[in-house]
Amino acid sequence: MIVLILSFALVWNKAQSWGFKDGVLHNSIWLERAAGVYHREARTGKYQLTYLEAKAVCEYEGGRLATYQQLEAARKIGFHVCAAGWMAKGRVGYPIVKAGTNCGFGKTGIIDYGFRLNRSERWDAYCYNPNGKECGGIFTDSKHIFKSPGYPNEYENEQICYWHIRLKYGQQIHLQFLEFDVEDDTACMADYLEVYDSYDDVTGFVGRYCGDELPDDISSTGNVMTLKFLSDASVTAGGFQIKYTAVDPPSKPSDGKNTTSQGKINFLPGKFGIL
Ligand SMILES: *[C@@H]1O[C@H](CO)[C@@H](O)[C@H](O)[C@H]1NC(C)=O
Ligand SMILES: *[C@@H]1O[C@H](CO)[C@@H](O)[C@H](O)[C@H]1NC(C)=O
């Protein structure tokens, strides 16, 4: 019991230390995924979902709560999240790949809080949705072309995809729409693509797009960007292809070579490389 209270306190402290730091909102919707497993938190923030709500979040996106085994399989290929979430059958835990004192008590593995007797407790969620795999993901390459699921065929109904772009510190992202055809309606409420100048879909809203007119190019202010595509239960269309390219920071003529090497030194890989 004491261990449990202690572990909760530690995780809670960690949660409290999130928030705005160096202009980046950390308490956000993380959708890092591996082996069909991803972490989800409520729009209102961290640790806000009861068991039934967590289940509903996964089901809304066409998946279900991940089992302990699925979370462990994802962890084995590098899925690491410092936030406890509901799994199937009311179990709570989180996957730790890299041991650290701030998270996971220096252990690796699934930090397991066990099957909760009280399902009104509020945690995050771990969802499993292997079919959603091709739609969305995390990209760190200097260029890439995103396609709507199934492209060049029409996309399907009830898709939800998040593409997160995370480049080196100092770089910017240039988005160019190559093809675009998404079910048209006046407010783009049916099917749409949203672009966020941020690593989540909470802050930095740039625009929502539908129809068949090519949107203008978009440049990010920082080194992260999120694209979210959602289709409803009826009417599909041709889909899209969107290209992004990394734009290096302008080098000052006075310190020539220095600029590039500094750019590399500043880059911290890993989840919080966006600092
Ligand atoms: C269950 O958890 C909720 C949220 O933490 C709490 O408000 C409630 O009192 C708990 N119920 C029981 C029976 O412990
Ligand atoms: C960077 O350039 C400045 C001016 O050109 C020079 O004084 C400095 O030594 C250089 N630093 C490195 C690490 O090369």
Side-chain angles (χ1 to χ4, degrees), residues 80-196:
H80 171 106
V81 182
C82 186
W86 289 105
M87 290 177 264
K89 301 200 167 93
R91 201 165 184 170
V92 168
Y94 56 101
I96 294 299
V97 174
K98 234 175 118 184
T101 46
N102 284 338
C103 196
F105 322 108
K107 287 186 232 154
T108 59
I110 305 294
I111 307 300
D112 189 5
Y113 293 0
F115 295 94
R116 311 307 296 172
L117 293 175
N118 182 351
R119 299 209 170 171
S120 304
E121 288 175 357
R122 292 176 185 274
W123 305 98
D124 292 349
Y126 286 100
C127 305
Y128 178 68
N129 184 4
N131 302 323
K133 232 188 209 169
E134 63 188 286
C135 135
I138 300 157
F139 297 83
T140 54
D141 312 336
S142 61
K143 56 172 180 279
H144 188 84
I145 294 178
F146 301 119
K147 295 174 184 166
S148 48
Y151 192 91
N153 297 322
E154 296 202 346
Y155 57 83
E156 289 177 17
N157 287 319
E158 301 193 312
Q159 299 283 311
I160 175 162
C161 319
Y162 288 81
W163 291 273
H164 297 285
I165 311 169
R166 182 171 61 205
L167 302 182
K168 291 175 184 174
Y169 183 85
Q171 286 184 323
Q172 286 173 315
I173 300 156
H174 183 83
L175 279 190
Q176 188 192 357
F177 293 80
L178 305 176
E179 306 277 342
F180 196 77
D181 181 15
V182 169
E183 181 192 352
D184 201 4
D185 82 69
T186 41
C188 294
M189 291 308 286
D191 297 356
Y192 59 81
L193 178 86
E194 282 181 344
V195 176
Y196 291 83

Side-chain angles (χ1 to χ4, degrees), residues 19-266:
F20 254 105
K21 197 173 168 193
D22 301 328
V24 177
L25 188 71
H26 287 264
N27 186 5
S28 56
I29 296 181
W30 293 103
L31 264 162
E32 306 230 12
R33 56 194 310 161
V37 174
Y38 59 93
H39 167 247
R40 203 74 165 91
E41 69 175 37
R43 277 174 182 277
T44 44
K46 205 175 173 74
Y47 296 161
Q48 298 293 327
L49 301 170
T50 64
Y51 174 67
L52 282 181
E53 287 164 353
K55 205 162 168 267
V57 162
C58 298
E59 283 167 5
Y60 174 75
E61 292 169 1
R64 54 185 182 272
L65 283 170
T67 63
Y68 180 94
Q69 288 74 17
Q70 286 161 347
L71 191 61
E72 171 60 8
R75 193 195 67 82
K76 286 210 172 104
I77 58 168
F79 188 59
H80 171 106
V81 182
C82 186
W86 289 105
M87 290 177 264
K89 301 200 167 93
R91 201 165 184 170
V92 168
Y94 56 101
I96 294 299
V97 174
K98 234 175 118 184
T101 46
N102 284 338
C103 196
F105 322 108
K107 287 186 232 154
T108 59
I110 305 294
I111 307 300
D112 189 5
Y113 293 0
F115 295 94
R116 311 307 296 172
L117 293 175
N118 182 351
R119 299 209 170 171
S120 304
E121 288 175 357
R122 292 176 185 274
W123 305 98
D124 292 349
Y126 286 100
C127 305
Y128 178 68
N129 184 4
N131 302 323
K133 232 188 209 169
E134 63 188 286
C135 135
I138 300 157
F139 297 83
T140 54
D141 312 336
S142 61
K143 56 172 180 279
H144 188 84
I145 294 178
F146 301 119
K147 295 174 184 166
S148 48
Y151 192 91
N153 297 322
E154 296 202 346
Y155 57 83
E156 289 177 17
N157 287 319
E158 301 193 312
Q159 299 283 311
I160 175 162
C161 319
Y162 288 81
W163 291 273
H164 297 285
I165 311 169
R166 182 171 61 205
L167 302 182
K168 291 175 184 174
Y169 183 85
Q171 286 184 323
Q172 286 173 315
I173 300 156
H174 183 83
L175 279 190
Q176 188 192 357
F177 293 80
L178 305 176
E179 306 277 342
F180 196 77
D181 181 15
V182 169
E183 181 192 352
D184 201 4
D185 82 69
T186 41
C188 294
M189 291 308 286
D191 297 356
Y192 59 81
L193 178 86
E194 282 181 344
V195 176
Y196 291 83
D197 190 11
S198 120
Y199 195 69
D200 58 44
D201 65 347
V202 178
T203 58
F205 179 76
V206 175
R208 176 184 282 196
Y209 308 92
C210 65
D212 59 5
E213 221 171 279
L214 273 189
D216 291 338
D217 291 8
I218 298 168
S219 289
S220 67
T221 53
N223 60 326
V224 294
M225 211 172 211
T226 298
L227 279 73
K228 173 182 175 182
F229 172 64
L230 200 137
S231 64
D232 68 2
S234 67
V235 188
T236 67
F240 52 81
Q241 286 198 85
I242 301 166
K243 180 181 178 183
Y244 84 75
T245 39
V247 180
D248 284 316
S251 53
K252 291 181 202 127
S254 55
D255 44 42
K257 282 178 187 170
N258 261 342
T259 322
T260 2
S261 62
Q262 264 175 15
K264 276 180 188 140
I265 289 161
N266 282 341

